[in-house]
Structure formats: structure tokens, C-alpha cells
């Protein structure tokens, strides 16, 4: 009998009163491994009430004390990272190596957030007018909440809450109902790290909890990561309720190859980008756009690289491509492959119907390659979120830029070349705001800011790095003058009335 997991509210593990649950399956075996309560608005109320109460004292706790639990948590996460990675493989399906990367990237967020005493410093200037000093400080705002997707069960929640709480806010996390077990383990460690009750809470659920978070009048801001339609929904609904919202959406990522590129290394990086984490990354490459005669070389090399892919259970050391998240995801991707073929793409490698010995019930999809993808077709426009590569050929780099800039999404893109001038032009002209040169997955690290543009991002302040401090604080500016008995204070010339 699979256990129904609990919420973490006010420093205590509590059951939701809901009777509705979501089954969590191991995608490599189809085994039922847990149940997520699809929580209620009353769960959100309880978490907000605890977080609001905690905020009153947490905001006045010196920042140097606020980061101490993060130092402790960093040590605990290091000690338990292998266990967490194994849990990620079991509930998400990615390979163990990818899962370890997932938690390590999360730990880096904690490390960077411990620098908050320096990160949230303000600005000041003395004598902005004679005898008047001006100081701008950054103040925490209150309760924030985060809603996260299934594809990085460990890392994505860490994009937000360590920065939020280190800067003096309190927080409520709603992880994806598909992969909550990783966060249950991480919250067991959070519970040992020394945060006061209510500073960091977790409520499980789906639509009802998300909408309650959007509507709650005592939540100041929302972080969302997921598909574009839900990102738009959360941005619109949360903003209408007066919240500060950043909502990261889906993607369609093009990788452009010039004829002068170092082909074997470039293709290795691109294939890894497309098939890594079974293509379930918001920065996953999807369409490889070859310029001129790069096309033949790229195609030949892609077919060689595909031979090296080993599909299987992510816990097996030889596996390089794990299952996708669910049966319905596998069916959806298979249907997309059918549509691509009906729209004229040529199927070079077919991953549908693959069987993995010993894992006959797993949600596997082998590597797939579609050639001769045409602009305007599904494969050129829709986020596939699976291990599928599309190949295209264009005449010039300008054509490639026009093609990728025509996408409704703009999360990331990469150029593969040895030509510095071409790289500079590409960096300057492409719409996506995360760009790689000779890199397949140009994911900004914790100390830089992350986030795409167009339908891949709703909001104005990006994620982590310096942007996190912008998002989780409000600037508060004071001007100060001290009178001295018997001395007439000077008046600033620009304020003097004629
Ligand atoms: P999703 O949109 O289905 O779910 C994301 C979150 O929204 C979950 O917590 C879920 O419970 C909630 N949700 C789902 N349906 C809802 C509804 N109808 N109303 C209210 N809330 C709802 O996304 P997913 O399938 O978990 O994740 C994959 C998507 O996330 C992909 O599109 C991927 O590109 C995107 N993603 C983007 C980034 C980025 O940085 N831009 C990063 C990771 C993932």
C-alpha cells in the first residue's frame, strides 16, 4: 500500500484533509511508489498563517543569523546527495548521473544564498544636499510561494526559496505532484537545519492549491516554473491579485551549426542536449539547424552518436537515456512523431515501441531522429519534451536566426562555430536570453541570472543570482538630516524657492 505523503507546515509534518490523491509511479518500472495529496485551499491557509507569523520575527533576525541554517543545510545535503539522487531516479526516471547533477546544482543555490549579507547590501551617499544623507536599503516583503515542475525535482525549488528566506522572507513550496518524494527527503533535512517554525513550508497539490496560492491576499509574490499555458495563468491570476510574479514557461530550442564548426565535438554536445534527461529539460535542444554544407556532416555524425545511446533504468550504470515521466507523456511524444511524419519529416531513427529487458512496463522511448523538418510544422514549432531530434538545413546564418527568432518561445539557443565574428553577431541578434556558443546546455549557474523571454518567461525580474535579490526585496530609501541648535541648516540650491 503506497503511503500518502504529508505537508510540512509550521515545522511539523501534517496530513492534508483532502481525499483526492495523485499516484506516483517509478517511470522505469511502472511501480506505484507513493501518493501525493491533491491539497485544499485550507492547507494553503494554514501554511500562510504560519509563514506570516514567522515573518514578523524572521525579518528582524540579523541576516548573518538567517544564513546559518543554510550553511547547516548545505552540509546535510552534501552528506545525503547520493540518497537524494537515487530518489530522483526512482520518481523521475533520469539517469543517476543526471540526478546527481540535479541535486548538485540545487546545493550551489544554497551556497550562493549564504552570501546574502553581501548580496542584499543597499546604497548610500552622504551630502546629497548639504547636511543630508541618503540611504537605500533592501527589505524583505513577506510570504512568497513557489510552484515547480516535474523535470528537476531537486534543483528548481532551490532556485527560489534559499534566496527568499536568506533575504528575510518566509516561503511556501508546492512541488510537482508527480515528483514530490525528493522534496520530502530534502524537507527532512531542512527540518534539521535550524530554521524557526514557519520560515519554510511545503504544501502538496495540483490546481486547487496553485489557485489558492495565486489568490491568497497575504502572499506577496509567486515563483512559477512549468509549461507556458500554466505560466501564463499563474502570472495573470497572481498579478491580478497584486502579487509580484515571475513565471517561467516552456521552450523550443534551436541549435545552429556553421560549416566551420568542429563537427564531432559539436554534434556530441547537441545530441547530449537533445537526449539528456530524456529531452525533458527546458534547455534541451530540439531542432539542429545546419547552415549550408554543414548539413551532411551533422546528419552523419548524429547517426553515429545515436548508436552510442543506451536506453534503460536510470539506476543501471550503463544507461544514458532513461524513461520519460509517464505513459501519457510517451503516448503524446509518439503522437507528435506521427504528426511530424505526416507533415513531411523523414524518420531516420524510430524510438517508438522500444522494449527494455527486465523493465518491460517502463515508459521508455528510444532516441528518435527526424530529417527534413520544415518551418511551420509541429516539429519546428511545438515543445516536444522527449528524446527527439529534428534536422533542418538553411542557406545562411541569417536564415537560421530568422527561423529561431520566429518561434513563439525564446528560452535558449546555441551556435556551433569557430568564427568569432559570426558568434558575436549571433549573440547580438537572437531573441532567446540564454545563449550558448559551442555549448549544448548553456544553463546559467547559481550566481548568474536565469530565464528566457517571449512565451518562455512572464515577468520582468529573472531567477537566481543578483536577480533573486531584486525579486525578493523591496528598495526602501531614506533621507536624513540632523539639526544643530543655533545653526541654520543649509538648503539645497535646487530646492530653494526664488
Ligand atoms: P506543468 O505546467 O504541467 O506543471 C507545473 C506546475 O503547475 C506543477 O506544480 C503543477 O502542479 C501545476 N499545474 C499543472 N496544471 C495546472 C493547472 N491547470 N492549474 C494550476 N496549476 C497547474 O509543467 P510540467 O509538465 O511539470 O513541467 C514541464 C514544463 O516546464 C515544460 O514546458 C518545460 O519547458 C517547463 N520548464 C521550464 C523551465 C524554464 O526555466 N523556463 C524550467 C523547467 C521546466
Amino acid at each position: 500500500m503506497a503511503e500518502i505523503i504529508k505537508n510540512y507546515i509550521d515545522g511539523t509534518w501534517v496530513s492534508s484533509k483532502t481525499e483526492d490523491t495523485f499516484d506516483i509511479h517509478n517511470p522505469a518500472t511502472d511501480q506505484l511508489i507513493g501518493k501525493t495529496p491533491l491539497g485544499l485551499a485550507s492547507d494553503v491557509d494554514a501554511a500562510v498563517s504560519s509563514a506570516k507569523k514567522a515573518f514578523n520575527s524572521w525579518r528582524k533576525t540579523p541576516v548573518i543569523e538567517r544564513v546559518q541554517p543554510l550553511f547547516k543545510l548545505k552540509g546535510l545535503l552534501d552528506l545525503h546527495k547520493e540518497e537524494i539522487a537515487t530518489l530522483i531516479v526512482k520518481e523521475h526516471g533520469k539517469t543517476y548521473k543526471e540526478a546527481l547533477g540535479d541535486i548538485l546544482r540545487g546545493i550551489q543555490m544554497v551556497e550562493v544564498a549564504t552570501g546574502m549579507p553581501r548580496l542584499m547590501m543597499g546604497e548610500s551617499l552622504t551630502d546629497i544636499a548639504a547636511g543630508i544623507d541618503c540611504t537605500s536599503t533592501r527589505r524583505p516583503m513577506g510570504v512568497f510561494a513557489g510552484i515547480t515542475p516535474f523535470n528537476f525535482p531537486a534543483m528548481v525549488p532551490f532556485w527560489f526559496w534559499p534566496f527568499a528566506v536568506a533575504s528575510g522572507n518566509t516561503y511556501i513550496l508546492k512541488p510537482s505532484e508527480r515528483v514530490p518524494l525528493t522534496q520530502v527527503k530534502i524537507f527532512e533535512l531542512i527540518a534539521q537545519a535550524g530554521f524557526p517554525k514557519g520560515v519554510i513550508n511545503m504544501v502538496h497539490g495540483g490546481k486547487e492549491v496553485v489557485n489558492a496560492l495565486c489568490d491568497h491576499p497575504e502572499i506577496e509574490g509567486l515563483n512559477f516554473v512549468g509549461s507556458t499555458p500554466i505560466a501564463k495563468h499563474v502570472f495573470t491570476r497572481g498579478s491580478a491579485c497584486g502579487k509580484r510574479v515571475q513565471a517561467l514557461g516552456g521552450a523550443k530550442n534551436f541549435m545552429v551549426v556553421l560549416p566551420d564548426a568542429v563537427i564531432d565535438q559539436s554534434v556530441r554536445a547537441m545530441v547530449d542536449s537533445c537526449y539528456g534527461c530524456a529531452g525533458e529539460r527546458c534547455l534541451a535542444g530540439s531542432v539542429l539547424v545546419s547552415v549550408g554544407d554543414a548539413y551532411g556532416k551533422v546528419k552523419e555524425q548524429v547517426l553515429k552518436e545515436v548508436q552510442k545511446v543506451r536506453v534503460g533504468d536510470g539506476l543501471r550504470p550503463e544507461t544514458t537515456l532513461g524513461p520519460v515521466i509517464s505513459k501519457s507523456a510517451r503516448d503524446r511524444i509518439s503522437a507528435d512523431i506521427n504528426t511530424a511524419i505526416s507533415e513531411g519529416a523523414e524518420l531516420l531513427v524510430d524510438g517508438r515501441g522500444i522494449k527494455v529487458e527486465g523493465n518491460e512496463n517502463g515508459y521508455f522511448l528510444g532516441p528518435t531522429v527526424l530529417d527534413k523538418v520544415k518551418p511551420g510544422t509541429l516539429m519546428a514549432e511545438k515543445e516536444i519534451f522527449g528524446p527527439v531530434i529534428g534536422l533542418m538545413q538553411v542557406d545562411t546564418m541569417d536564415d537560421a536566426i530568422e527561423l529561431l527568432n520566429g518561434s513563439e518561445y525564446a528560452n535558449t539557443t546555441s551556435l556551433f562555430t569557430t568564427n568569432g565574428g559570426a558568434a558575436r553577431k549571433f549573440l547580438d541578434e537572437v531573441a532567446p536570453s540564454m545563449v550558448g556558443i559551442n555549448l549544448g546546455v548553456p544553463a546559467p549557474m547559481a550566481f548568474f541570472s536565469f530565464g528566457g523571454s517571449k512565451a518562455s518567461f512572464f515577468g520582468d525580474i529573472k531567477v537566481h543570482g543578483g536577480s533573486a535579490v531584486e525579486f525578493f526585496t523591496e528598495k526602501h530609501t531614506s533621507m536624513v538630516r540632523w539639526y544643530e541648535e543655533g545653526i541654520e541648516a543649509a538648503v539645497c540650491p535646487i530646492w530653494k524657492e526664488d
Side-chain angles (χ1 to χ4, degrees):
M1 185 63 182
E3 208 182 313
I4 303 176
I5 57 170
K6 290 185 173 161
N7 292 331
Y8 184 77
I9 297 174
D10 205 37
T12 310
W13 292 98
V14 287
S15 297
S16 169
K17 291 203 169 53
T18 184
E19 298 199 338
D20 204 3
T21 57
F22 181 92
D23 289 345
I24 312 159
H25 290 272
N26 178 337
T29 62
D30 191 39
Q31 189 197 350
L32 182 68
I33 54 174
K35 284 175 178 279
T36 311
L38 292 174
L40 307 166
S42 56
D43 296 321
V44 171
D45 289 342
V48 175
S49 151
S50 167
K52 182 84 188 162
K53 194 163 150 236
F55 176 66
N56 294 332
S57 47
W58 185 242
R59 67 183 285 267
K60 289 184 191 296
T61 304
V63 61
I64 196 73
E65 286 176 34
R66 291 200 302 254
V67 297
Q68 295 310 314
L70 289 175
F71 282 113
K72 178 123 186 250
L73 181 64
K74 143 83 180 154
L76 289 166
L77 290 166
D78 278 340
L79 277 177
H80 292 269
K81 60 181 185 290
E82 284 87 6
E83 190 188 340
I84 294 170
T86 304
L87 211 42
I88 295 172
V89 178
K90 285 188 181 158
E91 67 174 352
H92 175 282
K94 60 179 77 177
T95 68
Y96 180 79
K97 195 173 154 211
E98 290 163 348
L100 202 54
D102 190 338
I103 180 62
L104 288 175
R105 279 273 185 151
I107 293 173
Q108 284 166 0
M109 303 294 154
V110 177
E111 290 168 3
V112 173
T114 61
M116 197 53 72
R118 174 78 201 172
L119 291 173
M120 74 181 293
M121 273 184 182
E123 300 168 316
S124 69
L125 188 63
T126 54
D127 290 309
I128 54 154
I132 300 178
D133 303 331
C134 188
T135 302
S136 205
T137 56
R138 291 187 172 278
R139 303 214 306 199
M141 295 167 63
V143 182
F144 279 82
I147 301 148
T148 54
F150 81 83
N151 65 330
F152 280 90
M155 174 186 74
V156 173
F158 282 121
W159 281 358
F160 307 111
W161 76 258
F163 297 97
V165 304
S167 55
N169 304 283
T170 54
Y171 206 83
I172 302 164
L173 173 69
K174 194 221 71 79
S176 167
E177 64 276 28
R178 297 169 194 281
V179 292
L181 302 176
T182 301
Q183 285 303 321
V184 169
K185 178 68 209 168
I186 289 171
F187 268 70
E188 283 168 12
L189 303 179
I190 289 172
Q192 297 167 40
F195 292 101
K197 283 178 181 179
V199 167
I200 164 87
N201 307 274
M202 174 163 64
V203 174
H204 296 288
K207 192 174 173 176
E208 182 170 347
V209 167
V210 171
N211 288 339
L213 292 169
C214 290
D215 296 345
H216 203 294
E218 294 198 289
I219 294 179
E220 294 294 330
L222 295 173
N223 312 110
F224 174 89
V225 185
S227 59
T228 288
I230 313 296
K232 224 185 235 178
H233 166 74
V234 168
F235 182 76
T236 310
R237 191 158 172 159
S239 304
C241 291
K243 293 179 175 40
R244 187 176 279 194
V245 189
Q246 54 182 189
L248 287 78
K252 181 75 190 178
N253 303 319
F254 295 81
M255 311 181 94
V256 180
V257 196
L258 298 189
D260 60 40
V262 179
I263 293 292
D264 55 344
Q265 294 185 56
S266 301
V267 171
R268 210 170 301 138
M270 289 189 284
V271 169
D272 176 61
S273 171
C274 298
Y275 293 156
C277 297
E280 295 169 325
R281 282 194 286 219
C282 69
L283 298 179
S286 177
V287 180
L288 313 190
V289 185
S290 299
V291 174
D293 63 12
Y295 171 73
K297 294 182 275 181
V298 167
K299 180 168 157 181
E300 189 187 332
Q301 197 63 31
V302 165
L303 295 176
K304 276 191 198 157
E305 286 297 325
V306 171
Q307 302 294 318
K308 299 182 194 163
V309 176
R310 295 287 168 268
V311 181
D313 187 327
L315 287 176
R316 297 220 180 103
E318 69 278 11
T319 299
T320 60
L321 177 58
V324 294
I325 187 69
S326 61
K327 264 185 214 157
S328 61
R330 185 185 58 192
D331 295 346
R332 188 201 70 233
I333 300 161
S334 299
D336 285 348
I337 295 169
N338 283 339
T339 307
I341 297 165
S342 71
E343 290 180 330
E346 203 175 285
L347 185 65
L348 298 184
V349 182
D350 188 357
R352 294 168 300 173
I354 193 169
K355 287 275 171 268
V356 174
E357 215 184 302
N359 287 69
E360 284 74 13
N361 297 326
Y363 319 142
F364 295 100
L365 199 61
T368 296
V369 182
L370 292 160
D371 193 13
K372 300 193 169 54
V373 170
K374 294 187 196 71
T377 61
L378 172 136
M379 188 56 206
E381 294 189 341
K382 187 186 167 210
E383 180 176 44
I384 306 293
F385 228 53
V388 183
I389 291 178
L391 299 176
M392 287 177 101
Q393 184 180 22
V394 293
D395 292 335
T396 65
M397 188 175 82
D398 283 333
D399 295 337
I401 292 174
E402 192 183 327
L403 173 78
L404 71 95
N405 281 351
S407 171
E408 66 168 310
Y409 300 103
N411 212 37
T412 188
T413 183
S414 294
L415 178 71
F416 290 83
T417 183
T418 50
N419 180 338
R424 191 165 185 274
K425 175 178 159 70
F426 189 82
L427 287 169
D428 185 49
E429 294 185 7
V430 293
S433 35
M434 295 183 282
V435 190
I437 301 296
N438 298 313
L439 278 166
V441 187
M445 292 186 74
F447 29 90
F448 280 91
S449 295
F450 187 109
S453 42
K454 293 168 78 174
S456 300
F457 185 84
F458 302 89
D460 47 13
I461 304 175
K462 299 278 163 88
V463 168
H464 62 66
S467 299
V469 183
E470 283 293 330
F471 189 80
F472 290 117
T473 60
E474 191 146 68
K475 276 201 166 165
H476 189 256
T477 304
S478 58
M479 292 172 73
V480 176
R481 169 166 67 187
W482 299 102
Y483 294 123
E484 281 183 56
E485 202 71 53
I487 301 177
E488 195 59 31
V491 176
C492 172
I494 57 166
W495 293 338
K496 220 183 218 171
E497 287 186 18
D498 289 331

